[in-house]
Amino acid sequence: MFNCRVCNHQIEPFMDFGPMPIANGFLKKEEFAEEYFFRMEVAFCDHCGAFQLVEQPDAQRMFHENYAFFSSLSKHMQIHFKAYADFVMERFFAGRKDPFVVELGSNDGIMLRNFKEAGYRHLGVEPSENVADVARAQGIQTISEFFNLELAERLVAEYGHADAVICANVMCHIPDINNVAAGMAKLLKPDGVLMFEDPYLGDMIAKTSYDQIYDEHVYIFSATSVSWAFGQHGLELIDVLPQVTHGGSMRYVFAPKGSHAISPNVAALLEKERAQGLHKAETYEQFRRNCEASRTALFGLLERLHQEGKRVVGYGATSKSTTVLNYCGIRPEHIEFISDTTPIKQGKYSPGVHIPVRPYEEFKQNPPDYALLFAWNHAVEIFEKEGAFTADGGKWITFVPEVRVLE
Ligand code: DWN
Ligand code: ZN
């Protein structure tokens, strides 16, 4: 038993992924002996609807001066964040006098650069110094701190209240959601808006995309769970907008209660979540069985290809791949290397199972028989540029929504 992180009710974990390393903790050989592991179990709270990790490593172990994820490496994500920024400016900034936007977890400035270019007052809050430095180098105002109620009070004193507080792929990383929600409510103007988007529970359940679960993702949200959590802090859900990013995400828009009209999208999504059974323990039991079947199928396929002497290379050393590799018991003999375009990951080894990560050029120069698509959420962008691999007889292995070789 443990206490729900959101509402404090006693809940029982329903699934144990076993010992897991830090998902973005790509490491050197000499660091193998010291590698940190935690027990990754997940629980669903039938009181507030929160799907959550039972244990999460300390934030400093995950987000630090060597954080290995740079948002701007994906062209499609650059386009996505421009559209997100346009949505905020067009729908909420029109007619406002000198609006001020604060982004939490602003990474390398991929979203805020759009506000900067449009001449709006902006501030990024990004705890990982190395990615924040990339933003600062482009003139995007960024501070490197963890956001909480105390920081919100300091920001109000220094910059005034915000017209919009925005984030993407950040809220689901923050365990003390109550403190952060209180801080966001404090930072907002009485008619301000708060919005965030994160991987969506409904998609994860429907696609058995269990690789969304790793140390950094302490929650996988639904409209039901976020409206409960933020409702405790005087905020109400005024709109929801599904996104294709990260394999199926949801953008939630909140505002101080009574300050904005509520879109009919909200009631429709809450109803859809009930119809999907997101409020029922049985749904999560079935999800666990689906994950186990997916694990058996992927391991079986890689084992067979290994015995047949085929070369398999991983495509994209994602955080998500750490869950897949460790949960499925995949070993270096199954996967020759993982190709990735991020310089800080190259020359290192994947967390836990220690498969080498190599520059993309090695994939191009010596294409394998099979590419295991760990970055499946970027499939459209990747298939666009890998036509030659497929044309030359290369095959793709995917595991979402089911394990299969794409012909
Ligand atoms: O929530 C999070 C999301 C936003 O980003 C974080 N917790 C960490 C991270 O998760 P991820 O590592 O699973 O994200 P991606 O975007 O799926 O990672 C893609 C990886 O693949 C990057 O390392 C870059 C690489 N890549 C590549 O080598 N070639 C990506 C593309 C599109 C490519 O063509
Ligand atoms: Zn709860």
Side-chain angles (χ1 to χ4, degrees):
M1 280 292 199
F2 97 116
N3 291 334
C4 170
R5 294 167 181 278
V6 180
C7 74
N8 218 30
H9 268 235
Q10 286 227 312
I11 50 175
E12 197 77 72
F14 71 88
M15 184 168 174
D16 186 352
F17 285 85
M20 277 286 160
I22 299 295
N24 254 313
F26 296 89
L27 68 179
K28 300 182 193 132
K29 245 189 192 138
E30 55 271 28
E31 293 166 329
F32 287 177
E34 298 284 292
E35 192 170 11
Y36 175 87
F37 287 84
F38 73 107
R39 184 165 172 205
M40 195 164 89
E41 288 181 288
V42 283
F44 166 73
C45 176
D46 61 4
H47 182 68
C48 72
F51 182 105
Q52 57 203 283
L53 285 184
V54 173
E55 188 191 329
Q56 193 193 33
D58 291 340
Q60 288 77 5
R61 282 192 186 275
M62 300 181 287
F63 311 111
H64 42 61
E65 68 286 0
N66 285 318
Y67 188 58
F69 182 73
F70 293 78
S71 302
S72 297
L73 284 177
S74 159
K75 293 234 159 34
H76 279 217
M77 290 311 288
Q78 291 182 22
I79 295 166
H80 172 75
F81 284 115
K82 164 128 189 12
Y84 189 160
D86 286 345
F87 168 77
V88 178
M89 293 188 263
E90 284 161 19
R91 183 152 156 196
F92 298 107
F93 281 7
R96 285 194 187 226
K97 199 166 158 274
D98 193 22
F100 175 45
V101 57
V102 179
E103 184 184 359
L104 310 184
S106 46
N107 198 275
D108 54 14
I110 188 169
M111 174 127 72
L112 279 184
R113 76 169 64 112
N114 298 292
F115 290 94
K116 180 190 163 263
E117 279 160 17
Y120 286 114
R121 283 194 299 138
H122 64 272
L123 178 70
V125 180
E126 172 49 61
S128 296
E129 287 277 4
N130 60 332
V131 286
D133 283 344
V134 175
R136 284 191 277 259
Q138 302 164 63
I140 298 161
Q141 194 173 7
T142 309
I143 56 165
S144 286
E145 291 198 53
F146 285 100
F147 183 82
N148 54 28
L149 180 55
E150 187 267 326
L151 178 62
E153 280 161 356
R154 274 196 281 136
L155 294 182
V156 171
E158 200 168 326
Y159 302 89
H161 289 95
D163 294 83
V165 176
I166 60 177
C167 2
N169 305 305
V170 167
M171 273 315 296
C172 75
H173 295 69
I174 305 176
D176 193 353
I177 195 170
N178 283 310
N179 185 298
V180 167
M184 288 167 147
K186 165 81 55 186
L187 186 53
L188 277 185
K189 284 185 179 167
D191 63 347
V193 284
L194 156 69
M195 71 197 80
F196 56 91
E197 58 184 41
D198 285 288
Y200 179 55
L201 183 64
D203 283 304
M204 187 185 82
I205 297 294
K207 297 177 190 169
T208 316
S209 45
Y210 64 87
D211 58 346
Q212 290 296 359
I213 304 170
Y214 53 88
D215 56 359
E216 295 180 23
H217 288 178
V218 65
Y219 300 108
I220 307 291
F221 292 133
S222 61
T224 309
S225 65
V226 293
S227 95
W228 199 100
F230 287 79
Q232 302 296 298
H233 301 276
L235 298 168
E236 71 187 348
L237 192 55
I238 60 162
D239 208 353
V240 285
L241 299 102
Q243 307 293 320
V244 294
T245 46
H246 289 291
S249 299
M250 190 63 68
R251 182 179 304 161
Y252 307 98
V253 186
F254 284 88
K257 272 183 192 147
S259 67
H260 285 69
I262 300 179
S263 157
N265 297 341
V266 174
L269 184 61
L270 292 171
E271 182 48 43
K272 190 169 168 218
E273 292 183 353
R274 268 200 99 70
Q276 196 186 352
L278 295 188
H279 60 296
K280 289 195 292 201
E282 299 92 89
T283 304
Y284 301 97
E285 284 302 316
Q286 184 58 47
F287 172 70
R288 182 176 53 71
R289 286 192 291 273
N290 294 347
C291 293
E292 288 162 3
S294 175
R295 168 174 67 178
T296 305
L298 184 59
F299 185 81
L301 172 62
L302 293 176
E303 194 64 11
R304 176 170 69 72
L305 294 176
H306 173 55
Q307 265 143 35
E308 290 172 5
K310 302 288 192 213
R311 289 182 57 226
V312 180
V313 165
Y315 198 104
T318 58
S319 319
K320 298 180 289 291
S321 68
T322 295
T323 295
V324 178
L325 291 163
N326 287 274
Y327 173 65
C328 297
I330 295 165
R331 299 185 300 270
E333 67 250 40
H334 296 116
I335 297 180
E336 194 175 304
F337 65 90
I338 306 174
S339 159
D340 198 284
T341 51
T342 318
I344 198 175
K345 296 180 186 177
Q346 296 163 355
K348 294 190 179 157
Y349 292 82
S350 75
V353 296
H354 304 157
I355 294 168
V357 180
R358 304 249 171 86
Y360 171 62
E361 290 65 36
E362 294 197 24
F363 175 89
K364 276 306 253 190
Q365 280 153 16
N366 188 13
D369 300 307
Y370 291 81
L372 173 48
L373 187 56
F374 287 127
W376 59 271
N377 46 308
H378 299 290
V380 173
E381 178 170 358
I382 291 170
F383 292 159
E384 263 168 26
K385 66 180 172 203
E386 297 302 350
F389 170 68
T390 323
D392 292 346
K395 293 198 171 76
W396 292 97
I397 300 171
T398 183
F399 48 88
V400 175
E402 71 225 337
V403 175
R404 67 195 172 101
V405 176
L406 303 180
E407 294 299 340

